[in-house]
Amino acid sequence: MRSLVLVGHGSHLNGDSAGAVYYYAELVRQQGIFAEVIEGYWKEEPSLRQVLKTSASTEVTVIPMFISEGYFTETVIPRELGLGHQGPVPEGGIARVIGGRTVRYTLPYGVHPKMQDVILARAREVLPDLDRPEVGRDTTLVVLGHGTTRNENSNKVIERNAAALRERGIFAEVHALYLDEDPKVGTWPERVGAKNVVIVPFFASEGWHTQETIPAELGLTGTATLFTDTPSGPQTVYYTKPVGTHPMIAEVILQLAAEASQARGGDLDRTHAESWRLLTRLAHGGLRVGEVLISPYSGLLELRHMLDEGRPTTDLLTYVTPEGLRDRVRQDDAGEYRPVRTFRTLPRGWRAVVDEADLRRALHYIYPAVVEETRAYTCHSLRATPWPTTARRQTGIYAKVQKASSAQVEAVAQKVCAACLRTRLWAAEPLGQTFFDGVPGGIPCAEACTYLVAAVRDELSAEKSPEKQDQAKLEQA
Ligand code: SF4
């Protein structure tokens, strides 16, 4: 039994930012190679602190879904997963035993050598005759990177791909150009003499740059733009979609996972399996977990909002796969994104009918890691992480939360956590019984979540604002 965990950035504000990871997880899941494919995020749930707990396997491969190496892949993700590693990840990845699991952490997908095939696939989409020698001879490829002075590795991957594709001899020339640094993409007319120019953005997703700034800067009018006044005469620029949205990324993921995981086998984690066996047994008798009611239904299990108990099924939207449900519960009834899944804002008006095998995935989409953490609490093996420890772990723009006083943290938590179903063990709040004992809201919070950390940071920033300082002076006067 092997599990694959795909890790993305996510967002507290924008639910769409998790879409790419969900998409690739689904493509890989369809291959049936892994016992489970799980999504995890830095700024969304399941968080990096939770995600390993949601895995049922003792062999877990974690792949960062980033286009290049950098702060997140080298600092944040290893730290939050508890890998005990900081800095560049070696080519073969990192393997650690964490909580009885062998966790293999790989390089981000964007640096895998197979990405040159993805670039090529993008080029063929806009120029299907590319492999005919007379077309290739008249075509120059531009691998377009963002370019940044903060991370030289992101440029290295562009140069490496350009060099590898040059070697393959398909194109007359291959250039590595950048949006934000030299050599800039806007200089292509001075550099390229070929009749056809294919520009492939080495970007993770469609967005402001790929859809607006690049076309605007180059004067592109669509997939193919004819330029008649360039120094080399008429030239057509073919502009492709970014590499990061190509379905071939799923193959890159599988390749990375295969390379990372030499050892096979391993038993299901016993504690994990026992937790779910117990939950499934309780569910067949009717169980409430947070705001969710689970009931037996024709040999299957039905999940719905507890306030929809007794509502005719014809009034409710029915999901028969966990993935359908996933997209519904990420928004509340007003259509607002729910950054913390245990906020008391679970939408109403739906039901999901799943078998026992899918129950775990369905419940993870609603409340990630809640079953595992709650079971660990009832077995006295869940350790709370005090705020100072969480604060000390923060780096970058979040490091300032280390300066927050206990009173400031508590004031923010009073506001934020009041909307949450969890009970803050890290602030020594008593929990007592849990949903395993029939108390639906008995859900532990072992550690301040990233949403709360961000709220503490915002509070400190607001304290420094001129308005706040004026107000404080007025209050003192
Ligand atoms: S820190 Fe507060 S908001 Fe975040 S999960 Fe814990 S209880 Fe909920």
Side-chain angles (χ1 to χ4, degrees):
M1 291 284 288
R2 282 188 303 148
S3 293
L4 181 69
V5 177
L6 303 183
V7 168
H9 189 284
S11 161
H12 289 151
L13 304 172
N14 176 9
D16 294 340
S17 72
V21 175
Y22 281 136
Y23 169 67
Y24 292 120
E26 194 52 43
L27 288 183
V28 175
R29 202 173 282 130
Q30 283 165 10
Q31 306 278 323
I33 294 168
F34 294 92
E36 54 189 358
V37 181
I38 304 169
E39 305 91 344
Y41 302 93
W42 168 224
K43 293 287 174 206
E44 191 168 331
E45 291 185 291
S47 70
L48 298 174
R49 301 292 286 175
Q50 299 168 326
V51 73
L52 292 179
K53 295 177 193 161
T54 70
S55 167
S57 308
T58 48
E59 293 276 339
V60 181
T61 300
V62 181
I63 299 183
M65 294 302 292
F66 289 76
I67 199 84
S68 63
E69 296 160 274
Y71 175 61
F72 286 107
T73 64
E74 296 175 355
T75 303
V76 174
I77 301 173
R79 182 191 72 208
E80 296 296 302
L81 292 177
L83 293 177
H85 172 94
Q86 291 284 274
V89 175
E91 212 160 289
I94 298 162
R96 295 280 187 277
V97 176
I98 302 173
R101 291 186 173 83
T102 301
V103 179
R104 292 185 166 80
Y105 179 66
T106 73
L107 286 163
Y109 77 86
V111 305
H112 195 274
K114 211 171 160 51
M115 287 304 288
Q116 59 180 275
D117 293 332
V118 183
I119 296 171
L120 210 43
R122 279 293 187 222
R124 288 190 179 114
E125 280 174 353
V126 292
L127 205 53
D129 290 338
L130 179 62
D131 292 305
R132 282 175 39 208
E134 66 274 22
V135 177
R137 268 199 305 273
D138 253 342
T139 304
T140 287
L141 172 72
V142 172
V143 184
L144 170 57
H146 186 284
T148 164
T149 48
R150 279 181 303 166
N151 180 11
E152 60 181 36
N153 282 338
S154 67
N155 290 5
K156 277 190 201 151
V157 74
I158 308 290
E159 305 286 344
R160 211 165 44 229
N161 278 305
L165 286 162
R166 208 172 284 132
E167 283 283 300
R168 287 168 78 161
I170 300 167
F171 300 92
E173 291 177 314
V174 179
H175 292 279
L177 302 180
Y178 300 93
L179 188 61
D180 264 5
E181 66 181 66
D182 292 332
K184 291 229 169 100
V185 66
T187 62
W188 74 263
E190 302 155 25
R191 301 170 186 276
V192 177
K195 212 172 72 183
N196 306 315
V197 186
V198 179
I199 299 182
V200 181
F202 200 82
F203 282 59
S205 58
E206 289 283 21
W208 184 56
H209 283 316
T210 60
Q211 292 177 326
E212 293 183 37
T213 59
I214 298 167
E217 184 172 337
L218 301 182
L220 305 179
T221 53
T223 305
T225 308
L226 177 67
F227 290 85
T228 51
D229 57 352
T230 51
S232 307
Q235 288 174 294
T236 304
V237 171
Y238 296 89
Y239 181 57
T240 76
K241 291 183 177 160
V243 289
T245 58
H246 197 285
M248 271 179 76
I249 297 297
E251 291 172 31
V252 180
I253 293 167
L254 289 174
Q255 184 85 33
L256 256 175
E259 288 163 7
S261 189
Q262 302 305 325
R264 295 185 63 88
D267 296 327
L268 270 179
D269 180 281
R270 205 159 7 109
T271 317
H272 191 282
E274 275 166 11
S275 309
W276 281 96
R277 257 201 303 275
L278 174 59
L279 186 110
T280 307
R281 184 163 56 74
L282 292 171
H284 276 292
L287 175 71
R288 265 181 55 194
V289 179
E291 294 182 288
V292 175
L293 179 67
I294 313 175
S295 329
Y297 180 83
S298 303
L300 301 168
L301 290 161
E302 186 204 63
L303 290 75
R304 59 168 73 188
H305 194 293
M306 63 179 185
L307 297 179
D308 286 333
E309 184 175 10
R311 260 178 90 177
T313 54
T314 47
D315 280 4
L316 304 171
L317 194 58
T318 299
Y319 298 105
V320 291
T321 64
E323 279 63 41
L325 172 67
R326 174 193 73 202
D327 297 336
R328 179 69 194 97
V329 299
R330 295 172 77 230
Q331 299 181 338
D332 64 17
D333 277 324
E336 293 292 323
Y337 173 53
R338 301 173 66 234
V340 178
R341 298 290 187 270
T342 41
F343 275 175
R344 299 166 202 268
T345 52
L346 189 70
R348 296 180 56 184
W350 56 269
R351 66 195 272 267
V353 180
V354 294
D355 59 18
E356 284 185 9
D358 277 349
L359 175 66
R360 187 155 60 89
R361 221 159 72 247
L363 212 44
H364 275 161
Y365 283 136
I366 304 174
Y367 296 137
V370 152
V371 171
E372 292 82 2
E373 289 182 344
T374 306
R375 186 69 183 140
Y377 170 79
T378 61
C379 297
H380 309 288
S381 58
L382 184 70
R383 266 178 302 164
T385 305
W387 167 261
T389 308
T390 305
R392 267 198 304 276
R393 239 185 30 241
Q394 307 306 314
T395 51
I397 59 169
Y398 293 96
K400 67 152 73 165
V401 301
Q402 293 163 21
K403 296 193 187 126
S405 66
S406 320
Q408 282 172 315
V409 175
E410 186 53 29
V412 175
Q414 289 284 343
K415 269 188 267 169
V416 172
C417 304
C420 186
L421 285 162
R422 290 185 186 255
T423 299
R424 292 183 294 143
L425 303 185
W426 55 271
E429 284 186 14
L431 174 58
Q433 293 188 309
T434 73
F435 57 81
F436 281 108
D437 311 300
V439 179
I443 302 174
C445 169
E447 178 172 355
C449 64
T450 61
Y451 188 83
L452 183 71
V453 171
V456 171
R457 176 183 172 269
D458 291 348
E459 179 65 19
L460 293 179
S461 304
E463 289 285 332
K464 286 209 169 143
S465 73
E467 293 81 14
K468 273 270 181 178
Q469 286 177 358
D470 285 351
Q471 198 183 334
K473 277 183 201 148
L474 273 175
E475 282 164 12
Q476 280 167 15

